[in-house]
Amino acid sequence: MSDFIQQLKALSSANEFLDFFGVSYDERVVNVNRLHILKRFYQYLHKAEGLAGLDELAMFQRYRELLAQAYQDFVQSDAATEKVFKVFQDAGGQQHVSLSKLRDSLAERRESAPAATPSANLRAA
C-alpha cells in the first residue's frame, strides 16, 4: 500500500484533511459543514475517473482539487441546498406529520399506558 494511502487512513476530521492537502479554509464554514464536506469529497472521489493510474504526486494533486471543490460547495451554499445527506434529500429536509396522525398517536399511547391506581400513586410518593 502506498505511503499516500497510509497517510490518508490516519486522517479523520475535515480539518485534518484540509490541513493535509493544504486547502485554506474558514473555521466557521468547517464547523457548520464538516460532515457535509467530507461526504461531498467522498462523492467526488467516487465519481472521479483515472485515479488508480496516477502516481502519488498526481493523486495528491487530484485529491486536493476534489477536496477544495467539496469545501467550496459549502462556502457558496449550505447543507440544505446541497442535499448531501438523505435527510435533506427527502422532502427538502422537512418531515410532514399531519395533525390527525399526532392525535391518533396520542390516543394509542394513552390506551397502552398502564392504568394508575390510587394505591400505586401513594407508594410512589
Side-chain angles (χ1 to χ4, degrees):
M1 191 173 297
S2 72
D3 289 337
F4 175 67
I5 299 300
Q6 287 292 85
Q7 290 174 321
L8 282 180
K9 286 184 173 189
L11 305 176
S12 61
S13 72
N15 301 68
E16 289 177 357
F17 275 89
L18 291 162
D19 289 338
F20 178 79
F21 285 105
V23 176
S24 298
Y25 61 92
D26 181 339
E27 188 70 37
R28 293 172 297 191
V29 173
V30 175
N31 285 342
V32 174
N33 298 296
R34 67 183 66 251
L35 295 176
H36 301 276
I37 293 167
L38 289 177
K39 176 73 173 185
R40 177 60 55 87
F41 177 47
Y42 170 78
Q43 290 171 339
Y44 286 154
L45 285 172
H46 188 69
K47 291 179 183 176
E49 296 180 11
L51 290 176
L54 300 176
D55 64 25
E56 284 192 5
L57 179 58
M59 190 178 294
F60 178 91
Q61 291 170 335
R62 186 66 180 127
Y63 274 50
R64 184 182 190 286
E65 291 169 4
L66 296 173
L67 179 60
Q69 183 180 353
Y71 169 75
Q72 282 301 314
D73 288 349
F74 295 95
V75 169
Q76 300 168 356
S77 188
D78 61 26
T81 304
E82 293 299 317
K83 298 181 184 339
V84 173
F85 288 101
K86 186 170 175 29
V87 67
F88 290 110
Q89 295 166 4
D90 295 343
Q94 298 177 358
Q95 296 296 322
H96 300 282
V97 179
S98 68
L99 188 55
S100 62
K101 280 195 171 199
L102 288 174
R103 283 188 196 123
D104 295 344
S105 173
L106 181 58
E108 289 173 12
R109 286 182 178 198
R110 285 183 177 158
E111 290 172 9
S112 65
T117 61
S119 61
N121 288 339
L122 289 176
R123 281 182 269 165

